[in-house]
Each structure stands twice: as structure tokens, then as C-alpha cells.
Amino acid sequence: MLTRRPRRNRKSAGIRAMVQENQITVNDFIFPLFMIEGENKKEEVVSMPGIYRYTLDLLVVEIGECLDLGITTFCLFPSLGEDKKDSMATEGHNPEGLYQVALRTIKEKYPEAVLMTDVAMDPYSSDGHDGIVRDGQIINDETLEVLGKMALAQAEAGADIIGPSDMMDGRIGYIREVLDDAGYTNVSIMSYSAKYASAFYGPFRDALDSAPKFGDKKTYQMDPANVKEALIEAELDFVEGADFLMVKPGMPYLDVIKTLSENFDIPITAYNVSGEYAMLKAAAQNGWLDNDKAMMEMLLSFKRAGASAILTYFAKEAAVLLK
Ligand code: PBG
């Protein structure tokens, strides 16, 4: 005699929908977008089929389409020529640089769009690192000054959420103070709190041409073996004033998302990174996985683990499916 039969709650689509514990909606998404210099150009990222690098004029069109699909939040990443890069990432805080011009232009056209930024030196650095390089070392405290200037330039250009992805110690407190001193108390910070030194960023570095010119990022990004260390990073970011905590990559680190969501009462974001996107696309192109079903299952896993927002290259196609 089986009194308890869990299958009763799975017997029809109606009951299954009623007992569903987690849902994906378009409100969960933050859509990362790659930008290039110039006009009227749209180049597909080879290792990310369906993802493009846009010049600003076409980026504005893309954002308009996404807003129509219900996506409200966008995270911009610039891909610059080597001529715009130097050892101090100066272009990163140029008010007339591509990034700041883009923020102002998009805000003017679509004031309702929520714009999240990236704060780290790598897209602008001739060394391809997230901090200042001296004698082969990444210098923490001097890098904070550069990051502060970047955050301020972005806030001045209209950014809603500043996203420090650099993993320097103390950057959240430093940036919070710079923003507050300049009167930007309402500009939020989404900290890449637990950002791992991961092999899953490969396609992103292709898209931005931002791979480190020497060495790796292991002295600042976290060791994939560690989870307690994620609690230390999250605690510091929380105390220093972060409004959101992020875990990156997403799918190989669902346990970290869960740990942070159980220990912190501010929203947790999952970054479903470029390599996760590339893996599914490659399998789908071979006919080995069903793209749409695997995509929705992957996105749902972040909600189940406790994320409230998902930075994902799937945002637009998932939004189309959800409509
Ligand atoms: C760098 C940065 C990276 C990503 C976002 N910001 C790559 C890196 O740390 O080298 C990766 C995102 C992705 O793979 O989708 N500041």
C-alpha cells in the first residue's frame, strides 16, 4: 500500500503548473551587449552564434527591440582597438569615449531602460588585465583610483547600476564613496562578488579581444575549488555597500549561488557566462541538444539555486519564447 504517491502531483499539465516552485520570467534577465567603434556594423561573435558586436547606431535599434520584448536591463561591454588601450586604461573614464557616449545616447532615446555597466580595466588595458600591472604584479590599491574614475564617468553618463568585475580588494567601498561624494547616492552597485578564475570566459575574451597579454587572472579571481572564500568576498561587498551580489560563472557554481542566497538578504545575480552559452549553442548546432528546452532548463536552475536576476546571452531568445 503506497499512501504517499508524489506522482499524483505530476499527473496533468494543470497540476504540474500549479505546484511549480520556480518560474522564469522576462523580468529576471539582464542582457549583456557588446559594442564596437564605427557605424552601421554588426559582427557575429564566432564562438557565440547569435550574439553580435554592434556599433552604437545599431545597438540602439537592438535595445529598442529588446525593450519591446519586455527586457528592461542591459549590461554593456566595449570592444576597442589597440590604439585606444594603454597601461592605465585611460579610455575607460574618458567622458567622450565610446562607452560613456553610448550610455548617454541610450538613456536619451530610452530613459526607461536600466543600464548596468562594467567596471574593470581589461577592455581598455594594453596588458589585458583588470588592474594596473607593475613588474608582472597586479597592483591593488592604485587600481582602485582608476576604477573610481571609471565608475564616476559612468554615473555622470547616466548609468543606473555600476558593475565592478575586477575583483580588487576594497573596490566596492571605494566606489561607493566616490559615487556618494559626487552626489550619486542613488546609483546602485552590483558587485561581481564571487568571480572565479574560469575557463568559461573564453568566448567573451574573443568578443572583446581582451585576453590577458601575459599570465592569468588567478591572483585576483577566485579558485574554482573554493566556496567559503565566496562568503568572505560577499560579506566584504555587503558591508562595503553593494546592492546586489553576483556569482560568476553560473551553471558550474550553482552551489555558490545557493550559499550566498542563504546567507545574504540582498538580491543575488547569476552570470550565465559566454562559455556556458557557447557550449549549448555548439551542442544544439550538432543536433545533440534541444536548444530551447536546454536553455529554459539552464535558466530555471539559477532561480532554483536562489538567484533573483540572471545575466545571460540567452535573454533575447528566451524573451521571445516566453512571449
Ligand atoms: C572582465 C570580464 C570578463 C567577463 C565579464 N567581465 C572576463 C574576464 O574576467 O576575463 C566574462 C563574461 C563572460 O564570459 O560572459 N572584467
Side-chain angles (χ1 to χ4, degrees):
M1 263 288 285
L2 282 174
T3 311
R4 191 132 295 285
R5 287 181 181 271
R7 287 187 53 192
R8 278 197 288 264
N9 282 353
R10 296 176 212 139
K11 72 183 168 195
S12 67
I15 291 182
R16 288 194 295 273
M18 185 170 65
V19 301
Q20 200 168 71
E21 296 173 42
N22 293 284
Q23 271 107 25
I24 281 285
T25 79
V26 70
N27 300 328
D28 300 321
F29 300 145
I30 302 173
F31 194 19
L33 292 165
F34 299 128
M35 293 167 50
I36 46 175
E37 300 163 286
E39 252 175 73
N40 196 28
K41 271 194 288 180
K42 173 181 170 183
E43 308 169 347
E44 191 167 39
V45 180
V46 177
S47 47
M48 302 178 74
I51 294 295
Y52 298 84
R53 314 190 308 171
Y54 299 93
T55 54
L56 180 53
D57 50 340
L58 298 188
L59 184 74
V60 169
V61 176
E62 174 69 6
I63 289 179
E65 281 179 24
C66 292
L67 287 168
D68 287 342
L69 287 166
I71 300 170
T72 57
T73 309
F74 304 89
C75 182
L76 306 180
F77 293 100
S79 169
L80 299 175
E82 287 297 321
D83 58 311
K84 293 276 165 42
K85 302 184 184 182
D86 62 26
S87 62
M88 295 298 283
T90 316
E91 185 66 10
H93 49 84
N94 174 4
E96 299 311 320
L98 174 67
Y99 202 76
Q100 273 65 246
V101 170
L103 290 169
R104 283 199 297 272
T105 307
I106 298 163
K107 268 287 163 184
E108 210 164 283
K109 180 97 203 270
Y110 301 116
E112 74 278 24
V114 179
L115 297 186
M116 172 179 169
T117 64
D118 182 55
V119 171
M121 288 175 62
D122 57 334
Y124 315 95
S125 155
S126 43
D127 297 303
H129 274 284
D130 294 17
I132 297 171
V133 177
R134 193 170 301 138
D135 302 327
Q137 307 279 321
I138 313 302
I139 310 296
N140 194 89
D141 298 13
E142 284 170 50
T143 297
L144 299 184
E145 290 172 35
V146 179
L147 302 176
K149 285 183 193 164
M150 287 178 69
L152 186 57
Q154 294 170 354
E156 281 168 350
D160 298 283
I161 304 174
I162 304 293
S165 69
D166 55 284
M167 290 302 280
M168 295 302 117
D169 290 336
R171 83 254 210 237
I172 302 305
Y174 189 93
I175 290 171
R176 186 70 270 164
E177 196 174 318
V178 166
L179 293 174
D180 290 352
D181 286 350
Y184 294 106
T185 52
N186 280 335
V187 172
S188 317
I189 300 179
M190 181 181 291
S191 177
Y192 287 63
S193 302
K195 176 170 177 180
Y196 288 86
S198 170
F200 288 90
Y201 307 149
F204 175 96
R205 292 177 189 171
D206 294 343
L208 296 196
D209 222 347
S210 65
K213 302 277 162 62
F214 71 90
D216 52 39
K217 297 191 174 186
K218 289 181 186 167
T219 68
Y220 45 106
Q221 298 181 352
M222 287 174 51
D223 185 334
N226 297 349
V227 64
K228 285 188 193 168
E229 196 181 346
L231 285 169
I232 299 174
E233 287 286 357
E235 174 69 24
L236 287 168
D237 290 350
F238 179 79
V239 170
E240 290 175 31
D243 303 285
F244 306 79
L245 305 176
M246 190 201 292
V247 175
K248 174 182 178 192
M251 207 166 52
Y253 297 86
L254 292 173
D255 58 319
V256 183
I257 296 171
K258 177 125 182 114
T259 303
L260 293 200
S261 84
E262 284 172 352
N263 284 281
F264 294 90
D265 293 331
I266 54 175
I268 311 292
T269 303
Y271 197 148
N272 181 210
V273 302
S274 58
E276 299 169 59
Y277 179 87
M279 273 195 310
L280 173 47
K281 285 293 167 192
Q285 283 184 346
N286 274 297
W288 297 339
L289 283 176
D290 179 314
N291 182 79
D292 293 356
K293 288 184 180 144
M295 167 177 77
M296 294 315 273
E297 188 175 332
M298 192 191 281
L299 295 171
L300 191 60
S301 75
F302 302 123
K303 297 298 300 273
R304 198 181 62 242
S308 26
I310 308 165
L311 252 151
T312 178
Y313 301 96
F314 290 113
K316 193 179 181 188
E317 41 170 331
V320 171
L321 265 191
L322 287 166
K323 245 203 146 82

